[in-house]
Amino acid sequence: MLDINNHIESPFSIKVSFNKLLEKYDELIHADNDFIVANAQRVLKIAENNPILREGFSKFSVFKTYEKEIEGILQDTFNPLLTQNEIKTAALPFYNFIFNPSERFKSIIKAAGNDYELEIQNMPTEQMYITACSIVLNFCYGYSLNFKRPFFYEIPDENGVMHYYKILYNADFTEIKPKPGTPKITQEDYDELLDNFDNIDLWKEKFPPNSYEFDGFIISNMFDVTDDQSISNIKSGLIKEVKGDDKNFFNNFHEIFRSLLGLKSIKVGFSMYNKETDTFERLYGVGVNSFLLNELDTAQCSDTLCDWSYNRLLNEKKYFSVSDVKKALKNTDCNPPHIKVLDNQNIQSAIFAPIANDEGLMGILEIVSKKPKVLNSINANKLEDVMPFIESAIQRSKNEESNLIEALIQKECTSIHSSVHWKFVEEAKHYIKSERLSDKSPSFRKIAFKNVYPLYGQIDVKGSSTARNTATQKDLLLQLKLADKVLDKSIEVSDLPIYEQMKFQIGEFENGLKTTFKVYSEHEVSVFLSEKLKPVFELIKKTQPSLKADVESYFSKIDKNLNVVYFNRKHYDDTVKYINRNMSSLLDQKQIEAQKMYPHFFERFKTDGVEHNMYIGESITKEDSFDMIYLYNLRLWQLQVMCEMENDYYHNQDKYPIALDVASMILVFNQPLSIRFRMDEKRFDVDGTYNARYEVVKKRVDKAFVKGTQERITQKGKITIFYSQKEDEEEYVRYINFLQSKQILSDDLEYIEVEDLQGVTGLKALRVSLLYSGLNNDKEHYTYDDLMATIES
């Protein structure tokens, strides 16, 4: 025989008893009212004939055996005149077992379906135990604890629409007392429990399972709070930060609106409003649809709404409904676009509500159904209570999007590196404080960092100017050849002198391009092709139908934006673009690990290749932690990453449209310098005349020659390290020897004297070849400690 206590873990040993209720009737039997006395005698007679109902029981079977008797005892508390209206049951504390339910409750459970199981939704198992202990503290020890919180049942109706029922308990007819040997709760125990609500083990230690007797029953009164709970759920859902991949958010949102309106067949959509373009736009990222836009991504408001609905939503900022789409189509001659688009989606009723703030419309809430008349102007009034929360959420979303856009612009266009962001925050706070405390206009103070060590590296497309000129030359010659063929055919049809003159000009350009390609050649030929030849070809197309296909074939090979053949140049441009993208991506990825070694400033630039600047020092980190070993680590890391970038390029060279070579270089500057942020250029630069020499060297060194020769120092397949001090040479020779031992660099190290540059003398260089299969090692990057360990071994 199943026992109630077998199914739950609780500090209570539960026994259902009607003793406390019967004691009330023991008093009522002495009342002055004969009707009250007679009723009390009736109830007490039932109890006398069935003593188990006063003594108590814990077996489930007793409920069935004494069902009529229990109903008779509870007749006054469960008035049969109200049973069709009240949602009420007798129950056990924090347990989903009920008995003697009202007829209204029975009908609700029946409509929910045979597979529905009654369960308190917001009461975790651990909290049930602790809440029961809290009741004991109040009931047995007199500690005043406010542990009450609302509990709910979620029960679907026959249409599947979820309803929410708030539960209120009446515990007047219960008794709780400790069993013999149960540990008594002291003031010290109580004080400890106050700060440990979540410590279930502690509560079980103080209140062991089944250590208190619970005799009696509780009365559970329920109230349908679906509207209030739906509004609360909408608020909660809108307050949460919704991620782009949160597929369940709008599924849940649909269910909430279905509960609010009591309709299973509805769907919810949104259209965002763009004030600048007066358009509706689809909201992306969270699985939401727009029924106004249907399959479009964006549309003009005037094309989406009729004049009346446009004015209603955008100007008056009031909602409207369409209760019968088919009827609306029949009753109008103008076929309003919003009605038509609903009908195309087989939507038969809808509500459109403006989401607006003081600044104007932000978007449209769309609620639709494929059933006519279920959505109308009457139930649309229910939106009044939820629209303020939706408007607040959309405003927050727009602000977050604006912040995200600004952050993206800053990241991609005017980046402030994370290592120095703290300095900008400090100055911004100072600016705001000065603005608030002073009548004078504040100025943003100079942002500078002193005594930082610079590192500079570059992987550059070798001979990029020559490669681009060659590509341009090929494209121009190709276009001239195509044009010449069209002119030959034109002369056969109509021998006009202008055609001969054009052919002569084309021949002159071809000879010039083949012999000497000068700086102005591209512009000169392009102007001829677009301004002189194109109008002639347009005339040929109109006046000589037999040549129309030839002219169109010629124009089909012309790039519409550039008005010239863009074939070889596109291959060149695409190759440089892919090199820059892939090298930048690899460098950015490696930088994440480098920042973990020690924070430092980093920036990169895309040109015909990728350049990067790094600065490391005490003033950047804002902490008293800098040591020269961090500089050595970063230099070694830089050398390894440059090798890896070269390696990556040549291993994937066959994937690029054309074959180009790259050359890598590093500039070593062993003296600390100062940098400052130039507000006008929105970038960091060296600060002071002395430090300017570093920038001069950076701009000129990659064009340097080996002293006394016309040989460029930077060469494909080799890493070049420029320096000026002997200690720099010794340091980098150690790095090179170390990487040679790891099969990353070749053993052909060269010591080079650099030809003097304008304003720069005394430079030297180390140059060494890469081993393009030498990066298959166990460690991703070696550190300065690895280097020292190798040297000392």
Side-chain angles (χ1 to χ4, degrees), residues 704-715:
F705 295 100
V706 176
K707 196 163 190 176
T709 74
Q710 289 299 305
E711 178 191 347
R712 279 279 183 88
I713 295 180
T714 55
Q715 295 290 329

Side-chain angles (χ1 to χ4, degrees), residues 721-732:
I721 302 161
F722 292 94
Y723 64 95
S724 59
Q725 302 297 322
K726 183 64 176 177
E727 54 264 37
D728 297 333
E729 177 187 299
E730 294 171 351
E731 178 185 347
Y732 274 86

Side-chain angles (χ1 to χ4, degrees), residues 77-179:
T77 51
F78 287 77
N79 193 317
L81 295 177
L82 303 175
T83 190
Q84 299 292 342
N85 184 51
E86 289 185 331
I87 310 172
K88 192 173 185 178
T89 70
L92 303 177
F94 316 117
Y95 187 60
N96 294 313
F97 177 77
I98 55 97
F99 60 96
N100 202 65
S102 67
E103 290 301 321
R104 173 79 183 280
F105 183 83
K106 289 180 183 178
S107 65
I108 290 172
I109 296 299
K110 182 179 179 181
N114 295 329
D115 57 348
Y116 176 77
E117 293 184 10
L118 191 67
E119 184 177 359
I120 299 173
Q121 291 299 312
N122 56 336
M123 174 58 78
T125 304
E126 303 80 22
Q127 287 192 14
M128 286 186 183
Y129 195 103
I130 294 171
T131 304
C133 297
S134 301
I135 293 173
V136 174
L137 285 172
N138 276 20
F139 205 99
C140 298
Y141 298 99
Y143 291 114
S144 181
L145 281 174
N146 184 8
F147 56 85
K148 293 181 179 178
R149 52 177 297 212
F151 297 126
F152 295 90
Y153 287 133
E154 293 182 7
I155 307 175
D157 63 15
E158 64 273 10
N159 297 316
V161 176
M162 191 63 68
H163 289 254
Y164 302 90
Y165 298 89
K166 185 176 181 180
I167 310 166
L168 295 180
Y169 291 122
N170 182 332
D172 288 348
F173 308 115
T174 61
E175 297 178 274
I176 301 174
K177 53 189 175 183
K179 289 183 178 180

Side-chain angles (χ1 to χ4, degrees), residues 508-564:
E508 290 290 299
F509 281 133
E510 285 180 333
N511 292 333
L513 288 172
K514 289 176 182 178
T515 54
T516 56
F517 185 85
K518 299 178 181 179
V519 175
Y520 58 83
S521 298
E522 178 182 1
H523 174 72
E524 191 177 23
V525 175
S526 296
V527 169
F528 166 75
L529 291 169
S530 60
E531 296 183 8
K532 304 294 185 183
L533 188 66
K534 184 179 178 181
V536 173
F537 278 14
E538 293 287 359
L539 179 63
I540 291 172
K541 183 179 176 181
K542 291 180 180 178
T543 59
Q544 299 181 20
S546 62
L547 298 178
K548 181 178 179 181
D550 296 280
V551 175
E552 288 181 346
S553 175
Y554 168 83
F555 282 131
S556 70
K557 297 176 175 62
I558 308 301
D559 184 270
K560 294 180 180 178
N561 296 319
L562 302 176
N563 291 318
V564 291

Side-chain angles (χ1 to χ4, degrees), residues 153-220:
Y153 287 133
E154 293 182 7
I155 307 175
D157 63 15
E158 64 273 10
N159 297 316
V161 176
M162 191 63 68
H163 289 254
Y164 302 90
Y165 298 89
K166 185 176 181 180
I167 310 166
L168 295 180
Y169 291 122
N170 182 332
D172 288 348
F173 308 115
T174 61
E175 297 178 274
I176 301 174
K177 53 189 175 183
K179 289 183 178 180
T182 297
K184 187 176 181 181
I185 302 300
T186 65
Q187 182 67 43
E188 183 179 350
D189 293 329
Y190 174 72
D191 293 341
E192 184 179 6
L193 291 168
L194 284 178
D195 294 323
N196 289 280
F197 179 80
D198 293 328
N199 189 343
I200 184 67
D201 293 331
L202 178 63
W203 287 87
K204 286 183 178 180
E205 176 189 331
K206 306 297 183 184
F207 300 90
N210 303 316
S211 57
Y212 288 83
E213 293 180 352
F214 177 95
D215 290 349
F217 70 100
I218 58 176
I219 298 173
S220 174

